[in-house]
Amino acid sequence: WQAHCSAAPQIMGAPTPRRALPAALFFLAGAFRAAGEQVAGDTIIRVNGLAADIFAARANLAPFPAEASQPLTLVAPWPADGCSAPDLPGGTQGGFALLVARGGCTFERKLAVGAAAGASVVVVYNTVASAYDDVNASFALADPCAVDCGAGSTIIAAPEGEAATRARALGFADKCAGMCPSGACAAAGVIQSDRVRRGDDLNICCLPDELMIMNLGTDARALPPVPAVFLRREDARALVAAAADGGQASFADRPRLLFEPSVVLMWLLGVTAVALASWVATAKERRIASSMPPGSRGLRKGDAWPGERASGAPPAAEEETVDLTATHALRFVGVASLALLTMFFLFRLGMFWVIRVIQILFCLGCASALFQFAFYPLVSALQPRLARLSCHRSESLGTLSAADGVALALSLALVSWYYLARHAPYAWVLQDCMALAMCALFLRTVRLPNVRVAAVLLGVFFCYDVFMVFLTPLLFHKRSVMVEVAKGGGAGEDRAEPSADGRACVRNPGERMPVLFMLPRVDYGGGYSMLGLGDVVMPGLLVCLALRFDCLQRGAAHGALCGAGRSASTAAAGSPRGPSYYVTVVVGYAVGLLLALLANVFGVTFNDVQGQPALLYLVPCTLGAVCTAAYVRGDLNDLWTADAILDDGGAGDAAAASGEYGAHLGDDGDLGAQRGNAGAAGAG
């Protein structure tokens, strides 16, 4: 937060407009930055006599012993690496904290030696020497990825002999104190077979001083029940100095926020997404309802809908929709299961290129969605003449206007920006905006004809979600298929590997699955709160059905919702009991999503899965809410077979409305296909 706020004024003050939006996103990301890139300190060390707390990273899951919350004597043994039985100061007995330096042996060995000596806590601290194969003999690093030349580097004349050993052990402090945040450097690009002579050019790079989670193997039962924590070099100086004076320190788990703010924000984002995407996706039905005379009820499904009033804007495109059937629902969940399992096994095989393919497909789909729901309406509203300016005609695409070209260019520019900046701190903002447009496109294209099909679809996806999240760990060695795929199978973690010759480090930033709504966590642990698009669009199909039913069958009664005219007599005689079905389902979704998030906060789980199948809560709360409300109001049979009503009801009213406003189409009727044709071109 401090780093982002200190940098923000310089960026926000840039005079060029093209930098204003990235700067705003950067500042917003600074307020909610995910700290998932670095290990967070989950242990508090309070040293007597020091005002500031010190944070360390736990290595194993053994709980702190009761005496750890009380001051423990700090002991710095000899040898300092703790790889052999330590020579403890006189009078040292059980119940002390053992400080050992990193390097010389494995972490398991250090923990075993400390436990045998009677330590209550083993503290392993980072050292410069541990970065080298042999700090006393060579400039070669044990791991070329230990240094970060991107953070700072410089060329110096190589020292020799004791001067070289001292320079390596001190991290070239005289050269790096002002260049690197850690104040230490190490040689880069040197391997064991190299002979570095005095005066040779030596490239030294910043040596980070970061927390790490020590690898203690995979069998926790084989480890002694003694906690082990890892400490930074800078913090270790204070503890070692306190140990020399016989100081004491207490250890405790770092408390986490009782209620993570991102949970509230994710709840708001999810509810807003399902309500807004459904609202945008049913624009056609709301336009129909707004054209119905007061007192009308219903519209024939195949009737032509009234055109836009004489506003100068072209009428909307003829929308291609797919009405699902029960058979479609079963096939849908089968394809989803096959795709999810395929990605899971590909990730297990290390084929992370699948994520790149999904990212590209996501961007192409979002380009079409943004064109249709964001940029074309925006360009047409700001510059109506561009919508009337014909630029191209073809048999396949029809007539394309200048507004089509501008909107398509803006859509492609936004998705290209996201793809190129997907590792930036603000990328989640772009991804969430694109995901919202994608949800709206899906909900406009795929529709439920009635509640009967909705019950089949949501029922099978309810079972699918629960099985893939909670039950697959029983089949795949305690790995949840849904959680593994959502996290990219480990591809989301930054990877650093030595080059083929061992001189350099190849760093690959982590890749994330794009089909998610994401919000950074504010808590020290970092990471992201995530909500899958499936948890929005599946209940969203029911929300759209409810809104279509409200507007096409009860439009006059829901004037404020659907834009239909309401006379006083209509309001008195035709008002339904209770809120609209749209509001009912949205409220049910809000309750279900809140239950899912609270279950995650309070650790409700099965098979130790860190996550919740959201449809476990969303399906009963949405489907149950609309069925209960329809039963109470006597509309359940109508909603259960809503497709038949849409086919037969209200033909006369619809025809009258269509005739009343049809004249407004005029000669511009052929422009109706422009938006859809250009959208198809964008998707292509």
Side-chain angles (χ1 to χ4, degrees):
W1 169 255
Q2 293 174 351
H4 280 282
C5 285
S6 61
Q10 301 175 4
I11 299 175
M12 297 294 284
T16 54
R18 62 192 178 96
R19 294 186 62 185
L21 182 57
L25 292 177
F26 185 86
F27 185 79
L28 180 61
F32 300 102
R33 184 182 176 216
E37 296 84 1
Q38 296 181 354
V39 176
D42 54 4
T43 301
I44 299 177
I45 304 177
R46 294 186 173 94
V47 181
N48 292 353
L50 292 182
D53 292 337
I54 295 175
F55 299 104
R58 292 277 295 277
N60 60 335
L61 300 179
F64 279 101
E67 63 268 20
S69 60
Q70 303 299 321
L72 299 175
T73 301
L74 297 171
V75 175
W78 182 262
D81 58 14
C83 294
S84 57
D87 183 11
L88 302 177
T92 301
Q93 298 178 353
F96 59 90
L98 188 67
L99 309 178
V100 296
R102 181 185 179 185
C105 60
T106 64
F107 294 130
E108 295 98 316
R109 174 63 181 170
K110 296 177 186 293
L111 181 58
V113 170
S120 298
V121 179
V122 175
V123 180
V124 180
Y125 57 88
N126 199 11
T127 63
V128 173
S130 62
Y132 290 91
D133 272 337
D134 186 349
V135 71
N136 296 315
S138 172
F139 286 99
L141 296 175
D143 180 4
C145 296
V147 293
D148 184 5
C149 294
S153 65
T154 187
I155 303 295
I156 65 170
E160 194 176 34
E162 293 184 1
T165 301
R166 184 169 57 254
R168 288 191 293 264
L170 295 177
F172 299 92
D174 57 331
K175 306 292 184 182
C176 300
M179 181 179 68
C180 302
S182 65
C185 288
V190 180
I191 59 177
Q192 282 288 0
S193 59
D194 292 340
R195 298 190 64 182
V196 180
R197 297 179 176 84
R198 183 177 182 179
D200 288 349
D201 287 345
L202 184 66
N203 183 27
I204 58 173
C205 299
C206 291
L207 183 64
D209 185 18
E210 298 174 349
L211 294 175
M212 64 175 293
I213 298 177
M214 294 182 287
N215 182 14
L216 298 178
T218 58
D219 188 4
R221 294 171 299 179
L223 300 173
V226 176
V229 298
F230 189 84
L231 203 60
R232 286 185 285 255
R233 293 191 301 270
E234 180 181 359
D235 296 328
R237 297 190 187 101
L239 263 69
V240 173
D245 296 334
Q248 293 182 322
S250 60
F251 297 76
D253 284 330
R254 186 175 182 180
R256 303 194 71 128
L257 294 176
L258 181 61
F259 198 78
E260 167 64 47
S262 66
V263 173
V264 179
L265 297 178
M266 179 55 73
W267 178 78
L268 290 174
L269 176 60
V271 175
T272 302
V274 76
L276 184 59
S278 302
W279 180 269
V280 173
T282 53
K284 178 179 176 180
E285 285 77 4
R286 291 186 287 105
R287 280 194 296 270
I288 294 173
S290 67
S291 302
M292 290 180 181
S296 65
R297 185 182 188 276
L299 180 72
R300 178 181 296 181
K301 185 179 180 181
D303 282 341
W305 49 273
E308 300 286 348
R309 302 174 191 269
S311 61
E318 185 65 25
E319 299 166 0
E320 296 183 2
T321 60
V322 177
D323 287 337
L324 294 178
T325 64
T327 303
H328 288 152
L330 297 177
R331 291 176 180 174
F332 201 179
V333 75
V335 172
S337 301
L338 180 61
L340 192 68
L341 289 172
T342 300
M343 287 188 288
F344 174 76
F345 286 118
L346 289 176
F347 290 158
R348 295 287 289 162
L349 295 174
M351 299 182 182
F352 299 124
W353 52 265
V354 178
I355 296 181
R356 192 68 59 87
V357 174
I358 295 174
Q359 289 172 340
I360 294 174
L361 294 176
F362 176 75
C363 288
L364 291 176
C366 287
S368 177
L370 289 169
F371 171 87
Q372 298 180 57
F373 294 108
F375 290 117
Y376 183 85
L378 180 63
V379 173
S380 299
L382 295 179
Q383 294 292 333
R385 59 177 182 172
L386 293 180
R388 296 189 294 267
L389 180 61
S390 176
C391 295
H392 177 74
R393 286 181 179 271
S394 67
E395 294 183 359
S396 58
L397 297 178
T399 302
L400 299 180
S401 67
D404 292 323
V406 173
L408 183 59
L410 292 174
S411 302
L412 294 175
L414 181 60
V415 298
S416 299
W417 179 19
Y418 162 76
Y419 185 79
L420 296 176
R422 63 188 183 278
H423 303 299
Y426 59 80
W428 60 272
V429 181
L430 300 176
Q431 179 172 317
D432 288 351
C433 294
M434 294 166 58
L436 179 60
M438 180 66 84
C439 289
L441 180 60
F442 179 89
L443 294 178
R444 194 186 70 177
T445 305
V446 180
R447 298 193 173 188
L448 293 172
N450 50 52
V451 171
R452 175 174 54 84
V453 176
V456 175
L457 178 70
L458 295 178
V460 294
F461 268 96
F462 173 90
C463 299
Y464 160 86
D465 207 21
V466 173
F467 177 80
M468 290 298 180
V469 175
F470 278 163
L471 300 182
T472 50
L474 299 175
L475 304 176
F476 300 109
H477 305 289
K478 298 184 179 181
R479 293 182 180 271
S480 172
V481 170
M482 185 74 75
V483 174
E484 288 292 315
V485 172
K487 293 182 177 179
E493 301 175 359
D494 294 344
R495 299 186 304 277
E497 301 174 352
S499 60
D501 59 5
R503 296 182 182 275
C505 180
V506 180
R507 301 182 186 274
N508 297 308
E511 299 290 349
R512 292 190 291 263
M513 294 289 286
V515 286
L516 299 165
F517 285 103
M518 301 177 64
L519 282 177
R521 295 182 181 275
V522 181
D523 192 72
Y524 73 86
Y528 289 89
S529 294
M530 298 182 292
L531 180 67
L533 298 193
D535 298 327
V536 173
V537 297
M538 288 299 129
L541 291 171
L542 183 60
V543 177
C544 285
L545 173 62
L547 185 53
R548 289 166 57 208
F549 186 85
D550 284 332
C551 292
L552 296 186
Q553 295 301 306
R554 307 161 69 91
H558 289 298
L561 182 66
C562 302
R566 284 185 73 178
S567 63
S569 59
T570 301
S575 296
R577 290 176 295 170
S580 69
Y581 289 112
Y582 169 76
V583 173
T584 300
V585 182
V586 170
V587 171
Y589 182 89
V591 173
L593 184 59
L594 180 61
L595 292 176
L597 294 173
L598 289 177
N600 212 34
V601 168
F602 292 106
V604 178
T605 185
F606 186 76
N607 287 329
D608 296 326
V609 175
Q610 299 297 318
Q612 293 292 324
L615 294 182
L616 173 64
Y617 308 91
L618 294 175
V619 170
C621 290
T622 54
L623 188 60
V626 72
C627 289
T628 301
Y631 177 79
V632 171
R633 301 174 191 176
D635 291 335
L636 184 57
N637 186 62
D638 290 350
L639 272 171
W640 195 258
T641 57
D643 50 347
I645 294 176
L646 291 177
D647 283 337
D648 300 329
D653 291 337
S658 180
E660 181 180 353
Y661 297 108
H664 291 296
L665 289 173
D667 296 333
D668 290 338
D670 62 339
L671 293 176
Q674 291 179 6
R675 191 184 309 178
N677 291 335

